[in-house]
Amino acid sequence: MKTIKDINAIKEQMQAKLIARDTANTETETRILVGMATCGIAAGAKPVFDTLMDEIAKRGLKNVRVTRTGCIGMCKLEPIVEVIVPNEPKVTYIKVDSNVAKRIVAEHIVNGNIVKENIVGE
């Protein structure tokens, strides 16, 4: 059984995640879209979304917004993650799992290097 203190701590943690997810300026901040239609969810998009949120929070990245989106249109390549950095071409990652999600944050978001083996067309 959880105590009120435990529940309040969970609430604060979740509110911080929601703020990080929902309060971005799309002209200056990076957006990460996770395909969460039924095909994406069935392929494992929820753990990918959670991993991205956790990695962004752990690193204290304030200029990144992670959001869910519907069908991206390539069901057999799910889970799909799109990274949109202002003034750069959109990058679409395919067959993303939690390990790839961590690499996307570390290599692409933080260091600006695309994880080439997981982009569409590679």
Side-chain angles (χ1 to χ4, degrees), residues 88-100:
E88 293 183 17
K90 172 178 69 176
V91 177
T92 301
Y93 290 100
I94 58 173
K95 298 185 178 185
V96 177
D97 61 18
S98 291
N99 290 327
V100 174

Side-chain angles (χ1 to χ4, degrees), residues 35-39 69-75 78:
M36 299 274 292
T38 53
C39 52
T69 191
C71 183
I72 296 175
M74 299 180 284
C75 299
E78 293 283 359

Side-chain angles (χ1 to χ4, degrees), residues 17-42:
K17 287 183 178 183
L18 287 174
I19 290 169
R21 188 185 79 196
D22 293 333
T23 59
N25 178 341
T26 58
E27 293 179 11
T28 60
E29 296 184 351
T30 297
R31 293 185 304 150
I32 302 173
L33 304 174
V34 180
M36 299 274 292
T38 53
C39 52
I41 293 168

Side-chain angles (χ1 to χ4, degrees), residues 16 49-50 57 86 89 92 111:
F49 181 88
D50 293 341
T92 301
N111 294 317

Side-chain angles (χ1 to χ4, degrees), residues 50-113:
D50 293 341
T51 298
L52 290 165
M53 290 296 295
D54 290 344
E55 289 296 307
I56 298 299
K58 272 193 250 181
R59 294 169 182 273
L61 300 175
K62 303 293 183 202
N63 63 334
V64 180
R65 176 173 55 155
V66 181
T67 57
R68 295 172 176 93
T69 191
C71 183
I72 296 175
M74 299 180 284
C75 299
K76 69 179 183 177
L77 302 176
E78 293 283 359
I80 296 174
V81 173
E82 294 184 329
V83 175
I84 304 166
V85 177
N87 304 312
E88 293 183 17
K90 172 178 69 176
V91 177
T92 301
Y93 290 100
I94 58 173
K95 298 185 178 185
V96 177
D97 61 18
S98 291
N99 290 327
V100 174
K102 289 177 184 179
R103 288 187 62 206
I104 290 170
V105 173
E107 296 177 30
H108 189 162
I109 304 302
V110 174
N111 294 317
N113 301 314

